[in-house]
Amino acid sequence: MEKIQHKTVSVNGIKMHVAEIGEGPAVLFLHGFPELWYSWRHQMLYFSNKGYRAIAPDLRGYGDTEIPSEISSYTAFHIVGDLISLLDILDLEKVFLVGHDWGALIAWFFCLFRPDRIKALVNLSCELRPRNPLRKPIDCLRELLGDDYYMCRFQKPGEVEEEFASIDTAKLMIGFLTSRDTRPPCIPKEIGFHQAFAQLPTTLPSWLTQEDVNYYVEKLNKTGFTGGLNYYRNMDKNWELTAPFSGCKIQVPTKFVVGELDLTYNIPGIKEYIHNGGFKKEVPSLEEVVVMEGAAHFINQEKPDEINAHIYDFIHKF
């Protein structure tokens, strides 16, 4: 870990923290919520040893990267703009792109907006869902899963932050990272997130150390969760702004990996969409779908060796 280098660069009007190690073809890793560059620690060391240049930024609003105060500063165009600026600063014409959770969603947008900068994509956990031209995504989620669904609960500024502030940050992170509940996370206000995180494992799983937890806690205690939550608060705005891209397909060579216990994989209708042709229709260059038995949502940390192999087996062909 000490071999990983850290620097701060100016991108798209903000200061961005970037972790980097290795030389060779570049692999850009995009983390999700509520994570950091650190989520990719295993992949960075592996790929640097395989002759790649591994790059993992703290995305806008996270960790040691700047946290703009305006909710409107967290659209997909802002985030992808940050990453294009980063590639330009690093003098990288093209990269291999790897995303997880919100990082995967941003990676889909990246490939939609600027496929010319991507050699190939490996996305984890979050599939590309087609844009419904008639209904905003939060309205669709409310109809499917109700007002208590966590993405709907995240919409009101300050409300969830207040709940999270009343919970020990270590408890929150352990709850997020170790959950194996495949049911859609619906948290009624009268129960609250405090109750949702009431039952935690008595010991950490083998893949998560106290040192790992402490790293996340140190950063989140400084920044809070607002930056990451603002990604959710721009879901409807992203829908509006991407109207010109409605019907466009992802043309980048793609591999998709998901855990069978991932809550995203178990949302009603998603398995059918992924396996019955809907996903392939939106991503014509989708070459492989892998469902990892016994794995949950944070697969790049839970199953690092398998994920490393899945990524390498795909990108080394290009």
Side-chain angles (χ1 to χ4, degrees), residues 82-316:
D82 297 343
L83 298 171
I84 291 294
S85 181
L86 176 63
L87 298 192
D88 291 343
I89 288 168
L90 299 179
D91 197 25
L92 295 170
E93 182 180 354
K94 285 191 171 187
V95 296
F96 294 107
L97 188 60
V98 181
H100 171 256
D101 188 80
W102 258 106
L105 300 179
I106 294 302
W108 293 124
F109 283 122
F110 197 139
C111 292
L112 183 64
F113 300 160
R114 295 298 305 271
D116 58 303
R117 305 300 293 266
I118 307 301
K119 296 178 181 178
L121 168 69
V122 179
N123 254 352
L124 313 180
S125 296
C126 293
E127 73 291 337
L128 174 70
R129 302 180 194 180
R131 181 183 183 276
N132 183 336
L134 302 177
R135 298 198 69 189
K136 295 181 179 181
I138 297 301
D139 289 340
C140 293
L141 289 171
R142 289 190 195 280
E143 180 178 340
L144 179 66
L145 298 165
D147 291 339
D148 294 332
Y149 185 58
Y150 79 105
M151 290 188 185
C152 303
R153 288 286 319 278
F154 283 180
Q155 294 303 306
K156 186 176 179 180
E159 184 175 281
V160 172
E161 287 93 326
E162 186 175 341
E163 286 194 50
F164 284 177
S166 69
I167 308 171
D168 178 72
T169 307
K171 190 175 183 179
L172 270 175
M173 286 308 300
I174 293 170
F176 279 125
L177 294 171
T178 64
S179 175
R180 306 183 78 75
D181 190 344
T182 60
R183 295 172 299 177
C186 294
I187 318 292
K189 290 182 182 180
E190 57 270 22
I191 294 177
F193 286 90
H194 197 284
Q195 187 64 32
F197 289 103
Q199 293 184 339
L200 297 176
T202 54
T203 58
L204 294 176
S206 59
W207 54 269
L208 183 66
T209 69
Q210 190 60 51
E211 182 182 5
D212 297 333
V213 174
N214 292 345
Y215 188 89
Y216 287 116
V217 168
E218 177 191 356
K219 299 301 181 182
L220 284 164
N221 279 343
K222 291 180 181 177
T223 65
F225 289 85
T226 298
L229 291 169
N230 284 341
Y231 286 57
Y232 294 93
R233 292 165 183 157
N234 275 282
M235 290 172 64
D236 282 351
K237 178 56 69 175
N238 288 335
W239 176 85
E240 294 176 14
L241 294 174
T242 54
F245 296 88
S246 191
C248 292
K249 310 299 182 184
I250 300 296
Q251 303 293 350
V252 172
T254 301
K255 180 175 183 175
F256 180 71
V257 186
V258 65
E260 68 168 345
L261 301 179
D262 193 321
L263 58 89
T264 65
Y265 184 60
N266 288 277
I267 292 173
I270 292 301
K271 291 179 183 178
E272 293 78 8
Y273 168 71
I274 289 175
H275 299 294
N276 293 346
F279 191 19
K280 177 71 172 177
K281 182 179 179 181
E282 299 302 317
V283 189
S285 297
L286 179 67
E287 297 186 13
E288 190 175 355
V289 172
V290 177
V291 180
M292 293 181 62
E293 184 177 352
H297 183 65
F298 294 91
I299 47 177
N300 49 326
Q301 298 182 74
E302 180 185 345
K303 302 283 187 181
D305 293 341
E306 292 93 327
I307 290 299
N308 291 343
H310 278 305
I311 298 170
Y312 179 75
D313 288 349
F314 188 64
I315 70 172
H316 91 280

